[in-house]
Amino acid sequence: MHAVEAFELVLGLLALVIGLHWLALKLRWPPATALLVGGGALAFMPGLPAISLDPELALVLFLPPLLMDGAYYTALGRFRRHLPGILSLAVGAVVFTTLVVGVAVHWIIPDLPWAACFALGAIVSPPDAVSARAVLKGVHLPRRLEALLEGESLLNDATGLILFRFAVAATLSGVFHTGEAIQSFAVVAIGGVIVGAAVAAGWIFLARRFRDPMLVMLITILLCWAAYLAGEAVHVSGVIATVTAGLAMGWYQHVILPAAIRLRANSAWQIMVFVLEAMVFILIGFSLRSAIERIGGIEAIPASMILAIAAVVATVTVARFVWIFGSEAILGIARKAGLERARPLGWRQATVLSWAGMRGVVTLAVPLTLPVDMPGRDLMLICAFAVIFVTVVVQGSSLGALIRKVRPVDADPPAKMAMPAAEAAMARARMQVIEKLAYDADGTLIHPQMLAEHRKRMQFMERYEQDASTAMENLRPHFDVLLQAIAAGREELIRIHRAGLIEDEVLHELERDLDLEEMAMTFQRGDD
């Protein structure tokens, strides 16, 4: 394919992303479902060139920024509090699914070596961070359930990739040592944490010293790839390194990045993540064509392979239910035995958690890295696509309806301070500073309007703390008037610019001020 044609194809795919995303919003589908189905359907249209996705490039290009995005917005306090449950899913459930799928495949295809069966299990076992984020957008979940799903999606890719490499090596060499595998697993995981922390420390050092906003934004965006590639370069987990760096950046950015840089960087980052996330599912659908052609077409798939594919999809789904409800039973027994820290989720949350096991980019890219002489390679490729399709389309599309049906209860205790109380505390802190600086050294009031304005704001926030709903309802007409005034100011600004009375630089500067003011008013009004 010519370079210009390739660029035109990329532009066409971006246009397809826009169309399919819009269609998904209209039909109330998860966007990931529409993108995956649309990409798969388009791939088989005659006249379109075949798209081959380099697996190593797919992992490096897509995985780090999407992992970083999830880690950046992860509530670190809840992550630490629910870490045992997260590790149970990210490590225990992945290992369990790998073993169960391996046994099922070997039972159906006895000629396939055990290690190859477990390699297939490692490919399809980890739910994907990209798929989980794409499907769970707009879905309201209890805080504990949200923390478990977010934490699992950040860490389980590392488990699946490590298991996969061990299984492939065992298949090709015929040798496997359990003790060495466990030791290597620990070294790779701990090494990933150390590398990620070191890269994050480097980002903190540079961000504090750079003065140019564009440089700070650039090193912030590049942090995900720096952490991932650094981890892979020293042969530890790039996934865990990226997650560690993302958690650190999310924690420290509040005190390191100025507000203007944070607003601009977040806007650029969100656009980039949206495009990458959407392109992942389009390319997954497109890659289905090349996988089927590689084995000679759909008609060339033998009946034994179809049976194995169905068994893998069913086993992956059932294994997650078994692990989660088995863990629930153990927690229930421990609770009855007097262990207060053992808190079962309850059947409602456990059901939703069991069904939220969507697979994606890792399950797609990993089997494409298999050596050509790997036993069962074609089976692994087709099984990977089947698991992605069923989990994203079937589970992803029905997850919202399942949540509405079972109505999981949020059993986590709320934070000690709600948003109204936090805003009131901020207003009192600001008022203390204003009261000190509103007077000069002689005690003369030099900022009366500022003092009155902040006193009025603090009094409102204290009323808001007592009765948030009534205070906001009374304030809504106030915001409506302010928004109309901002709109009038914007109209006048454009008029005088069109009349040639001000330069473009003045227009952009004043327009930015109006945008920030309107954004603040809209947010406070409760429209966003």
Side-chain angles (χ1 to χ4, degrees):
M1 184 185 302
H2 192 271
V4 175
E5 293 176 340
F7 179 68
E8 291 173 348
L9 180 61
V10 171
L11 293 180
L13 291 179
L14 289 175
L16 179 64
V17 165
I18 295 171
L20 290 174
H21 194 89
W22 176 84
L23 180 63
L25 295 177
K26 286 293 183 182
L27 298 177
R28 298 181 181 275
W29 287 1
T33 301
L35 293 167
L36 181 60
V37 174
L42 192 66
F44 289 94
M45 290 183 62
L48 283 179
I51 297 179
S52 58
L53 185 63
D54 184 270
E56 297 294 341
L57 177 61
L59 287 177
V60 173
L61 176 61
F62 293 110
L63 195 56
L66 298 175
L67 282 172
M68 178 70 72
D69 189 56
Y72 179 83
Y73 291 105
T74 294
L76 191 56
R78 287 206 300 265
F79 182 87
R80 288 197 301 259
R81 187 163 60 249
H82 298 299
L83 187 58
I86 291 171
L87 292 178
S88 171
L89 293 168
V91 179
V94 171
V95 173
F96 177 74
T97 304
T98 299
L99 296 176
V100 173
V101 169
V103 171
V105 171
H106 193 268
W107 179 65
I108 296 172
I109 309 177
D111 294 337
L112 194 64
W114 275 107
C117 296
F118 291 136
L120 173 55
I123 290 170
V124 299
S125 60
D128 184 63
V130 183
S131 300
R133 283 176 46 79
V135 170
L136 293 174
K137 282 180 179 176
V139 176
H140 179 71
L141 292 173
R143 290 185 295 273
R144 183 182 178 188
L145 194 56
E146 185 176 3
L148 289 173
L149 284 170
E150 287 179 350
E152 177 196 18
S153 67
L154 292 175
L155 299 179
N156 59 12
D157 287 341
T159 306
L161 287 170
I162 294 169
L163 291 175
F164 170 77
R165 288 166 183 168
F166 287 154
V168 171
T171 302
L172 298 179
S173 65
V175 178
F176 180 77
H177 298 290
T178 305
E180 292 181 5
I182 295 174
Q183 183 180 359
S184 299
F185 186 95
V187 169
V188 167
I190 296 172
V193 173
I194 295 172
V195 170
V199 173
W203 172 80
I204 293 171
F205 178 84
L206 294 175
R208 279 178 169 161
R209 284 157 179 80
F210 284 173
R211 292 292 178 262
D212 189 311
M214 295 305 297
L215 291 179
V216 177
M217 290 172 58
L218 184 59
I219 63 171
T220 300
I221 291 174
L222 293 178
L223 177 63
C224 59
W225 286 291
Y228 185 87
L229 292 174
E232 294 296 314
V234 297
H235 306 293
V236 298
S237 174
V239 171
I240 294 179
T242 305
V243 170
T244 302
L247 292 172
M249 184 176 70
W251 181 261
Y252 285 103
Q253 56 91 12
H254 305 288
V255 295
I256 292 176
L257 298 182
I261 292 179
R262 182 162 48 249
L263 286 172
R264 294 163 67 184
N266 283 346
S267 298
W269 181 262
Q270 288 171 9
I271 291 293
M272 184 184 74
V273 166
F274 171 80
V275 171
L276 290 176
E277 192 174 89
M279 292 295 286
V280 163
F281 291 103
I282 290 287
L283 292 173
I284 288 174
F286 262 91
S287 298
L288 178 60
R289 173 180 171 181
S290 59
I292 291 178
E293 289 177 348
R294 191 178 289 110
I295 64 173
I298 296 177
E299 64 279 358
I301 301 177
S304 59
M305 184 179 289
I306 294 176
L307 177 62
I309 293 169
V312 168
V313 173
T315 303
V316 164
T317 304
V318 173
R320 186 171 176 86
F321 274 86
V322 171
W323 179 266
I324 290 174
F325 277 91
S327 301
E328 280 289 289
I330 294 173
L331 288 174
I333 293 171
R335 183 81 173 182
K336 290 179 180 178
L339 185 59
E340 293 296 326
R341 296 185 62 183
R343 295 190 302 116
L345 287 167
W347 72 269
R348 298 176 188 273
Q349 291 197 49
T351 301
V352 174
L353 186 62
S354 300
W355 194 244
M358 291 71 65
R359 272 65 173 176
V361 62
V362 172
T363 300
L364 163 73
V366 166
L368 296 175
T369 65
L370 288 166
V372 178
D373 58 345
M374 179 77 178
R377 185 176 188 271
D378 293 338
L379 171 66
M380 295 179 191
L381 287 169
I382 300 300
C383 281
F385 282 107
V387 169
I388 293 172
F389 185 86
V390 171
T391 55
V392 172
V393 175
V394 177
Q395 292 183 338
S397 299
S398 58
L399 184 60
L402 177 66
I403 292 171
R404 291 189 294 270
K405 183 71 174 176
V406 303
R407 297 178 181 177
V409 179
D410 197 342
D412 258 19
K416 295 180 180 180
M417 186 178 288
M419 182 181 290
E423 291 194 276
M426 290 169 55
R428 284 190 286 268
R430 294 175 62 172
M431 185 62 192
Q432 289 176 2
V433 174
I434 294 297
E435 284 179 335
K436 292 179 182 178
L437 302 180
Y439 298 88
D440 62 11
D442 299 331
T444 304
L445 181 61
I446 57 176
H447 299 298
Q449 291 182 334
M450 186 183 300
L451 183 62
E453 178 185 345
H454 278 78
R455 180 174 288 122
K456 183 178 179 181
R457 178 180 178 84
M458 187 188 71
Q459 291 169 352
F460 169 76
M461 286 301 173
E462 289 177 339
R463 293 196 301 273
Y464 177 56
E465 182 180 13
Q466 298 299 322
D467 188 352
S469 58
T470 302
M472 286 305 300
E473 195 62 35
N474 293 335
L475 194 62
R476 188 174 292 272
H478 172 75
F479 286 136
D480 290 340
V481 173
L482 288 176
L483 287 171
Q484 291 181 42
I486 292 171
R490 189 186 304 278
E491 185 177 346
E492 177 65 11
L493 176 64
I494 295 173
R495 187 193 70 79
I496 60 179
H497 174 261
R498 298 294 187 265
L501 300 176
I502 59 173
E503 297 290 345
D504 283 11
E505 292 82 2
V506 177
L507 168 70
H508 295 317
E509 190 75 20
L510 295 178
E511 187 178 45
R512 185 196 63 184
D513 294 343
L514 287 173
D515 289 343
L516 291 173
E517 190 176 357
E518 181 178 343
M519 184 173 63
M521 289 296 136
T522 303
F523 178 77
Q524 293 180 56
R525 188 177 180 273
D527 293 341
D528 190 5

